[in-house]
């Protein structure tokens, strides 16, 4: 019943030059893999040994939570990229973004600011609330919006390991390029 590291849904060089092959090799094969391995070791002999990943994210604390949430967050992050898709959302998601943030550009600005200003390690998220409205939130470290009852739609990993090999200290450059690889078909399905 061990958790397994999902393969990347594209080649390691598929997101270049926004995210390099080298970054994906470390980010997926080392960081994401380590969270999976840590989780498998930590749940042994606990009440979570046979639980689903989402059940663990919803109800654990401490090291088990940190590693389970990081497994979930990274799978969610890696699934949302494809360099060759349309550059903007369409349909009901586009309508909801325009309704909440006035325009797609305004939404991008607000999400980028949330990503840039998050202090330390963490994640920026576009979420859907229970009433169907959208919001942008920041979470520290492994935390994610699921525990707060929100549905995650889009995320930006702003842990340094996500961008340091390509951008060093220039987190804003990583974030401005991040928009060029979003697969809005995936994001729309989540909405
Ligand atoms: Mn990461």
């Amino acid at each position: 019943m061990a958790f397994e590291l999902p393969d990347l849904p594209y080649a390691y060089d598929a997101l270049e030059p926004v995210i390099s092959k080298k970054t994906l090799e470390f980010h997926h094969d080392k960081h994401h893999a380590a969270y999976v391995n840590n989780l498998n070791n930590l749940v042994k002999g606990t009440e979570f040994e046979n639980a689903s990943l989402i059940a663990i994210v919803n109800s654990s604390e401490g090291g088990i939570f940190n590693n389970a949430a990081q497994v979930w967050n990274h799978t969610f992050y890696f699934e949302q990229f494809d360099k060759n898709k349309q550059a903007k959302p369409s349909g009901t998601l586009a309508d909801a973004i325009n309704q909440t943030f006035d325009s797609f550009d305004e939404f991008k600005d607000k999400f980028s600011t949330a990503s840039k200003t998050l202090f330390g390690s963490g994640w920026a998220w576009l979420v859907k609330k229970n009433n169907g409205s959208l919001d942008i939130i920041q979470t520290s470290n492994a935390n994610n919006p699921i525990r707060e009852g929100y549905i995650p739609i889009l995320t930006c990993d702003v842990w340094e390991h996500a961008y340091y090999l390509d951008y060093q200290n220039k987190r804003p450059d990583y974030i401005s390029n991040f928009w060029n690889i979003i697969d809005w078909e995936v994001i729309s399905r989540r909405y």
Side-chain angles (χ1 to χ4, degrees):
M1 288 294 286
F3 294 104
E4 288 181 13
L5 177 69
D7 290 334
L8 282 180
Y10 35 74
Y12 286 89
D13 61 0
L15 305 180
E16 291 194 336
V18 175
I19 297 175
S20 67
K21 179 171 184 268
K22 193 172 182 188
T23 289
L24 282 182
E25 284 170 350
F26 276 95
H27 201 177
H28 176 269
D29 297 2
K30 306 293 183 191
H31 292 278
H32 196 181
Y35 296 126
V36 173
N37 290 335
N38 292 341
L39 179 63
N40 283 326
N41 289 326
L42 287 167
V43 296
K44 273 181 202 150
T46 75
E47 61 185 297
F48 298 110
E49 190 158 15
N50 296 308
S52 67
L53 183 61
I54 202 73
I56 299 174
V57 169
N58 270 313
S59 56
S60 63
E61 304 292 340
I64 292 181
F65 170 77
N66 286 335
N67 284 283
Q70 285 292 78
V71 170
W72 194 93
N73 294 351
H74 281 89
T75 301
F76 189 79
Y77 171 81
F78 289 130
E79 280 174 351
Q80 69 189 6
F81 298 128
D82 186 331
K83 210 169 61 177
N84 303 310
K85 293 290 175 69
Q86 56 180 1
K88 294 177 92 161
S90 57
T92 53
L93 176 60
D95 294 342
I97 286 174
N98 290 333
Q99 200 164 12
T100 307
F101 305 101
D102 293 331
S103 68
F104 181 60
D105 286 342
E106 196 72 19
F107 156 70
K108 275 170 65 176
D109 279 353
K110 288 206 168 106
F111 188 95
S112 297
T113 299
S115 304
K116 285 177 207 166
T117 60
L118 190 146
F119 187 77
S121 296
W123 303 77
W125 305 84
L126 174 67
V127 298
K128 184 180 170 184
K129 295 182 158 180
N130 279 337
N131 63 8
S133 68
L134 294 172
D135 202 1
I136 293 166
I137 66 169
Q138 300 172 322
T139 62
S140 291
N141 301 319
N143 289 308
N144 72 36
I146 297 169
R147 284 282 274 258
E148 296 171 50
Y150 302 145
I151 298 167
I153 306 289
L154 169 73
T155 193
C156 187
D157 184 349
V158 295
W159 284 59
E160 282 189 344
H161 67 226
Y163 61 86
Y164 210 84
L165 291 173
D166 298 329
Y167 300 92
Q168 294 78 48
N169 59 314
K170 298 186 285 288
R171 189 197 284 186
D173 291 356
Y174 158 63
I175 294 160
S176 60
N177 288 332
F178 166 85
W179 298 109
N180 298 329
I181 53 170
I182 301 297
D183 182 345
W184 286 102
E185 287 170 25
V186 171
I187 310 302
S188 288
R189 277 202 295 276
R190 292 169 174 174
Y191 176 71

